Amino acid sequence: MDWMYWNSFAEFIAMGTHGVYVWGSFIVMAVAMVAEPLLIVKGHRQLLARLRRQFRAEKSERGRATVRQTQNRLGVPSTPGTPSNSESKA
Amino acid sequence: MSNRLINWYRFASPQAFYPLAGRMIPWFWVLAAVFGVIGLYIGFLVAPTDAQQGEGYRIIFLHVPASWMSMFIYVVMAFWAGLGLAFNFRLSGMMAQALAPTGALFAFLSLWTGALWGKPMWGTWWVWDARLTSELILLFLYVGFIALRSAIDDPRRADNASAVLALVGVVNVPIIYFSVKWWNTLHQGSSVSLTKSPSMATTMLWGMLFCALACWMYAIAVALMRVRTIMLERERNTEWVRAEIARGEAAEA
Amino acid sequence: MIAFVRAIVARDLRLAMRRRSDVVSALFFFIIVVSLFPLGVGPQPELLRTLAPGVLWVAALLATMLSLPRLFADDLRDGTLEQLLLAPQPLGLTVIGKVVAHWLVCGLPLALLAPVLGLQFDLPADGLKTLTLSLLIGTPALSGIGAIGAALTLGVRGSGVLLSLLVLPLYIPVLIFGAGAVDAVATGMASDAHLSLLGALALGGVFFAPWPTAAALRIALE
């Protein structure tokens, strides 16, 4: 087994007369196999961000509900536009 | 024995599998890269030229692993699907779902590289050769599987329905293959076949082997990555996902 | 057991007779598709003769596809399917009955109509005979395999297109042996091998395919 079959880089790129076909296969396969995991990672990140937002929103929703409950119990009239409203949006 | 069974059940739950998969993924990537570099080095730099086919034969280092993977993945997918149907494991449907796009991608790559191989060898991009035709049909089967899954909203029903389809497909693949082969010989299609060279040099075999191993590792890594996303998505109303997200947030803060 | 299957067949036939227009539309679809081909490729008799087996068979596949979504959808809507699911007889038998009824309503008329259309393609007499025979033997397989797809896509959005996506690849062996039988006769060979393989597929379609169909129906109604 030789260390390398080719004599020059140009020869390697030319692949006899079949350079277009060999490199056409290689590049498409390489691009596909790089793109697929990148797309998955992107999808995973987006999902994580969405879930975080959702859970945070639920948490503040729950927080607001308890505030309202205590207010009702204490007989405090709930005022619209209280800070708690804008907080939940953050 | 029963102890081991319990362990298996434990890892079959998404909750336990999610972090396990996360730890395994980097290793599969490393293996994929190492095997890929060795395989491509042998195939593209060391292996001598093929007397009949010239340098274009080097496409088989890409084509053959892609074709193998497209077929293996279908069988593995059907295996997971059947497991899910028989034992109702939550994990199996998710694994089948995670494997399908990768299998379809390999089927496409196999067709693409096959066409690019055929042009210099046969003088045409497409031949109705039994292998190429079956590969095309395999791609159709993948597309059908993915389409059925995405058309059903309820994930449990999607799991089960697509499992039935995958099993029907796996029974049909040999029938389809032999019918296409029969049809091909009757229509005296090409006498050349893709893996014809009778005395393939050992160097070439090694190159092919490493390329195939790289594709295996790649497929496992990608499937594990995708299954993690699917798990989070589908189990988003459970406690463990909440804990997982909270831990991720804490780690970043 | 046979009485049960017969009862299902009789019921489905009665229902089909009440909606004759569906059956007739599928047949006309078959006729129209087949008639389009000479208009597309030109009227040379030799060309049409070589195309005939493939064209007629592909058109038969498509016409079958057209009638498949109906197979279980009506029963699902009026609740009959749930009753059948709860019946003491195995669901597979019910499906066999429905497949047989579907063949009588769809496959059989296609096979009987095919020789007339074959005349448009200038097929010789023995070609017409083999065409009819191959369709008679092969269409039960189409009904049986199609039932799996119909059950899987039951009540799913966009089920019509999805059904063809799932089922047409599985029809390929039937197409190959069916059209191959007619081709073989046209080139002066025997068609026995094709027809017996087609028969094997038909047996599989009628007796094995109903079990995955039954499983798919259970999943759909869960």
Side-chain angles (χ1 to χ4, degrees):
Chain A
M1 197 198 270
D2 261 334
W3 185 81
M4 190 175 286
Y5 166 77
W6 306 96
N7 294 318
S8 71
F9 185 69
E11 215 178 87
F12 173 62
I13 293 298
M15 283 283 160
T17 52
H18 297 154
V20 184
Y21 308 109
V22 175
W23 297 116
S25 306
F26 182 84
I27 290 170
V28 168
M29 193 147 167
V31 166
M33 288 173 78
V34 169
E36 192 192 9
L38 286 183
L39 285 177
I40 297 174
V41 167
K42 195 175 148 219
H44 195 80
R45 291 236 173 90
Q46 279 170 352
L47 177 67
L48 283 180
R50 206 181 74 213
L51 288 181
R52 266 175 211 176
R53 239 177 295 130
Q54 186 190 329
F55 292 158
R56 223 176 291 153
E58 278 169 21
K59 211 185 276 173
S60 58
E61 182 78 31
R62 227 176 295 148
R64 235 184 326 158
T66 26
V67 168
R68 220 175 294 132
Q69 265 173 15
T70 30
Q71 280 177 341
N72 286 345
R73 223 178 7 237
L74 296 174
V76 182
S78 65
T79 45
T82 44
S84 71
N85 235 343
S86 52
E87 243 173 71
S88 66
K89 272 196 193 121
Chain B
M1 179 66 205
S2 66
N3 211 356
R4 210 188 300 159
L5 209 61
I6 289 167
N7 266 336
W8 274 110
Y9 272 115
R10 205 161 67 79
F11 283 120
S13 83
Q15 181 177 1
F17 194 78
Y18 183 87
L20 179 72
R23 280 199 302 278
M24 289 191 310
I25 288 167
W27 292 105
F28 284 113
W29 277 122
V30 169
L31 286 176
V34 170
F35 289 144
V37 166
I38 299 176
L40 290 175
Y41 168 70
I42 297 178
F44 279 75
L45 293 174
V46 178
T49 187
D50 185 273
Q52 298 161 357
Q53 308 178 17
E55 304 301 346
Y57 96 92
R58 288 179 202 278
I59 292 175
I60 64 167
F61 290 112
L62 308 171
H63 174 78
V64 172
S67 317
W68 280 349
M69 286 317 296
S70 65
M71 289 182 259
F72 282 141
I73 290 179
Y74 197 87
V75 175
V76 173
M77 192 177 87
F79 168 78
W80 279 111
L83 213 62
L85 214 51
F87 300 108
N88 232 357
F89 287 146
R90 269 184 300 168
L91 180 63
S92 13
M94 300 183 196
M95 281 307 283
Q97 185 184 356
L99 283 165
T102 305
L105 179 71
F106 274 119
F108 164 75
L109 286 174
S110 160
L111 289 173
W112 175 268
T113 52
L116 282 170
W117 187 87
K119 183 65 182 163
M121 300 302 156
W122 293 329
T124 144
W125 296 106
W126 180 261
V127 181
W128 287 97
D129 162 76
R131 280 163 211 259
L132 284 177
T133 312
S134 313
E135 194 65 44
L136 183 66
I137 296 165
L138 187 63
L139 180 63
F140 293 160
L141 292 180
Y142 275 119
V143 170
F145 182 91
I146 296 170
L148 179 63
R149 270 217 77 99
S150 53
I152 303 177
D153 291 324
D154 172 30
R156 296 298 301 182
R157 188 186 161 192
D159 277 351
N160 291 334
S162 58
V164 170
L165 183 68
L167 291 175
V168 169
V170 101
V171 171
N172 263 281
V173 161
I175 301 177
I176 292 174
Y177 179 74
F178 285 115
S179 64
V180 170
K181 220 175 147 87
W182 158 290
W183 165 82
N184 187 243
T185 47
L186 277 187
H187 292 256
Q188 94 245 298
S190 54
S191 51
V192 207
S193 79
L194 283 185
T195 48
K196 183 183 124 211
S197 35
S199 60
M200 215 170 26
T202 18
T203 331
M204 296 182 193
L205 273 183
W206 278 111
M208 198 115 90
L209 181 72
F210 276 107
C211 284
L213 278 174
C215 284
W216 261 111
M217 296 302 130
Y218 168 85
I220 295 173
V222 166
L224 287 179
M225 283 165 74
R226 195 178 280 118
V227 86
R228 270 163 59 96
T229 312
I230 294 169
M231 276 174 184
L232 282 191
E233 171 82 50
R234 278 173 59 171
E235 308 248 316
R236 62 182 177 276
N237 293 324
T238 58
E239 269 317 303
W240 77 264
V241 172
R242 256 163 221 283
E244 188 64 43
I245 298 286
R247 190 159 58 219
E249 244 171 337
E252 266 173 42
Chain C
M1 206 166 90
I2 290 173
F4 176 68
V5 174
R6 204 183 297 149
I8 298 271
V9 173
R11 172 183 168 275
D12 271 29
L13 286 183
R14 246 193 334 272
L15 285 177
M17 280 305 106
R18 234 176 267 163
R19 308 235 224 140
R20 248 159 297 172
S21 66
D22 288 352
V23 181
V24 177
S25 327
L27 283 179
F28 266 98
F29 176 81
F30 180 57
I31 297 171
I32 291 173
V33 168
V34 170
S35 310
L36 283 180
F37 273 87
L39 298 175
V41 299
Q44 301 87 328
E46 313 86 77
L47 180 65
L48 290 183
R49 259 200 302 275
T50 42
L51 281 181
V55 167
L56 279 155
W57 259 98
V58 169
L61 299 191
L62 296 178
T64 311
M65 296 295 330
L66 212 59
S67 59
L68 276 176
R70 273 279 157 60
L71 191 53
F72 300 113
D74 291 341
D75 286 346
L76 177 72
R77 209 174 306 122
D78 64 12
T80 321
L81 203 56
E82 260 168 278
Q83 299 290 316
L84 288 171
L85 226 66
L86 298 172
Q89 286 84 0
L91 189 54
L93 282 185
T94 310
V95 176
I96 291 183
K98 293 192 80 72
V99 165
V100 171
H102 180 259
W103 178 72
L104 287 173
V105 172
C106 172
L108 187 62
L110 287 181
L112 297 180
L113 202 60
V116 183
L117 295 174
L119 286 176
Q120 288 187 319
F121 283 73
D122 198 29
L123 274 183
D126 49 350
L128 290 177
K129 214 173 65 196
T130 319
L131 176 69
T132 315
L133 197 60
S134 71
L135 277 167
L136 276 178
I137 300 176
T139 39
L142 300 185
S143 299
I145 299 169
I148 304 178
L152 283 173
T153 54
L154 195 57
V156 167
R157 74 185 117 80
S159 56
V161 184
L162 186 59
L163 180 64
S164 25
L165 214 58
L166 302 187
V167 169
L168 284 176
L170 301 179
Y171 277 175
I172 288 167
V174 184
L175 171 67
I176 287 176
F177 296 128
V182 189
D183 240 3
V185 169
T187 51
M189 286 184 293
S191 58
D192 305 356
H194 285 95
L195 290 178
S196 24
L197 285 166
L198 205 56
L201 287 177
L203 282 180
V206 175
F207 292 107
F208 292 117
W211 306 105
T213 309
L217 285 177
R218 281 213 183 82
I219 292 163
L221 284 177
E222 238 166 37

